[in-house]
Amino acid sequence: MDPETTFSALRTFCAERLGTPLAARLVRLARPGFELTEAGPGEATGHSRFGGRAMLEPGTPWPDCEGVPLSLLAVLDADALAPWLGGLLPAGTGLLNFFALDSESERCDRAALELSLELDLMDPRLGAVIPARSAHAVETDAPARSSVFEPVAWKATPGFAFPDTFDPAWDAVDLGSLVDDMPVYDITDLLPGWSEQPYALHADDMAFGWPLFPTGSSPMLPDGEESSRYQHLLQLSGQDEWWIGGDGGWMHWSIPADALRGGDFSRAIPAPDIW
């Protein structure tokens, strides 16, 4: 799949079911992203993986929260993903390291657990996203008290995603008489057959696109900011193998769109799925 051809197919698919005017409004909500699954031999997408060692430039300090080190949860190879994202990422972004305070897995340090009980779930210090230029990044050992998860290389399958049913981004779309006084919308009701399309993203673990909130929540952002002003970076689901926060263990990282355009990943925030 290439992004232009696939996006054209998406527009056609929506227009056949909703008509061209409504489809045009709906398609503006579609965002490119990737389904992340365990890679088979030769399938890994660059350095993208769950767990393992961080990929940092020499001299980069390991992130912490009040002196307790965060844990490396994932690495996304932004250079390998960039062609599908249509200029979303600044050139040369490299590798994105995703950290969080591990306070619930079997590996968590007691100090991390105690600290988590003192802080709000939306405290931005509970997570960090640190970029590293690909040519300079080296595998970096975690400090003491930081959880280390077994690495799982990822295959990143591209596609397009629509907002979750509970996402207020739907408020920006005028669906006219298609629905009757419904505050939220299910994309599979609007577009029968959507889930079967080869470019439809509906993954547990996902990069970019839109986040899912299976516990019936909605994006929890600072000061009630609109989700449409944020770009989703990564979604991880616990799947009963590890636990990183939020109901059911689902975790997300998001970043203000203007910060992403400027390459300022210090403004990325953890956004756990909570009631």
Side-chain angles (χ1 to χ4, degrees), residues 229-272:
R229 296 182 179 178
Y230 277 73
Q231 171 63 50
H232 182 244
L233 294 175
L234 179 66
Q235 167 181 301
L236 294 177
S237 63
Q239 299 183 5
D240 297 326
E241 297 177 15
W242 40 272
W243 195 279
I244 52 176
D247 289 320
W250 290 67
M251 189 68 188
H252 309 277
W253 286 262
S254 293
I255 187 171
D258 64 321
L260 180 60
R261 287 192 295 269
D264 183 7
F265 289 94
S266 69
R267 293 174 61 194
I269 59 171

Side-chain angles (χ1 to χ4, degrees), residues 210-232:
W210 288 92
L212 297 177
F213 295 93
T215 61
S217 182
S218 63
M220 302 296 291
L221 300 173
D223 301 322
E225 294 184 32
E226 296 180 9
S227 61
S228 59
R229 296 182 179 178
Y230 277 73
Q231 171 63 50
H232 182 244

Side-chain angles (χ1 to χ4, degrees), residues 14 21 30 45 54 90-91 93 103 108 111-112 123-124 127 136 143 149 152-153 158 197 213 215 219 223 262 272:
C14 293
T45 302
T93 295
S103 61
C108 80
D123 193 312
H136 299 272
F149 297 91
V152 177
Q197 299 310 301
F213 295 93
T215 61
D223 301 322

Side-chain angles (χ1 to χ4, degrees), residues 13-200:
F13 176 82
C14 293
E16 289 174 346
R17 287 153 180 80
L18 303 174
T20 300
L22 180 55
R25 296 197 295 270
L26 183 64
V27 165
R28 283 197 290 269
L29 281 180
R31 288 181 175 179
F34 299 87
E35 178 178 355
L36 303 172
T37 54
E38 184 173 354
E43 291 183 334
T45 302
H47 295 283
S48 298
R49 56 174 163 77
F50 171 78
R53 301 163 76 192
M55 298 287 290
L56 300 174
E57 296 187 29
T60 301
W62 192 276
D64 70 83
C65 179
E66 295 196 3
V68 180
L70 303 183
S71 299
L72 186 281
L73 292 182
V75 176
L76 287 182
D77 193 327
D79 290 343
L81 303 179
W84 181 259
L85 298 175
L88 179 67
L89 294 172
T93 295
L95 307 174
L96 296 177
N97 295 267
F98 290 81
F99 296 87
L101 183 73
D102 174 30
S103 61
E104 303 208 35
S105 82
E106 294 179 354
R107 300 170 175 81
C108 80
D109 185 83
R110 182 173 182 83
L113 174 59
E114 293 174 350
L115 180 59
S116 71
L117 298 176
E118 300 173 5
L119 301 177
D120 184 89
L121 282 173
M122 293 303 300
D123 193 312
R125 296 174 297 171
L126 293 175
V129 178
I130 298 180
R133 292 169 295 176
S134 298
H136 299 272
V138 296
E139 289 196 344
T140 304
D141 289 328
R145 300 193 297 167
S146 177
S147 302
V148 179
F149 297 91
E150 290 297 319
V152 177
W154 273 330
K155 172 185 177 182
T157 303
F160 287 89
F162 285 101
D164 180 81
T165 300
F166 299 96
D167 199 306
W170 285 107
D171 296 339
V173 180
D174 179 9
L175 296 177
S177 60
L178 186 64
V179 296
D180 182 20
D181 296 328
M182 290 180 60
V184 293
Y185 312 96
D186 189 323
I187 192 63
T188 57
D189 289 337
L190 293 175
L191 297 173
W194 167 250
S195 297
E196 287 71 46
Q197 299 310 301
Y199 46 79

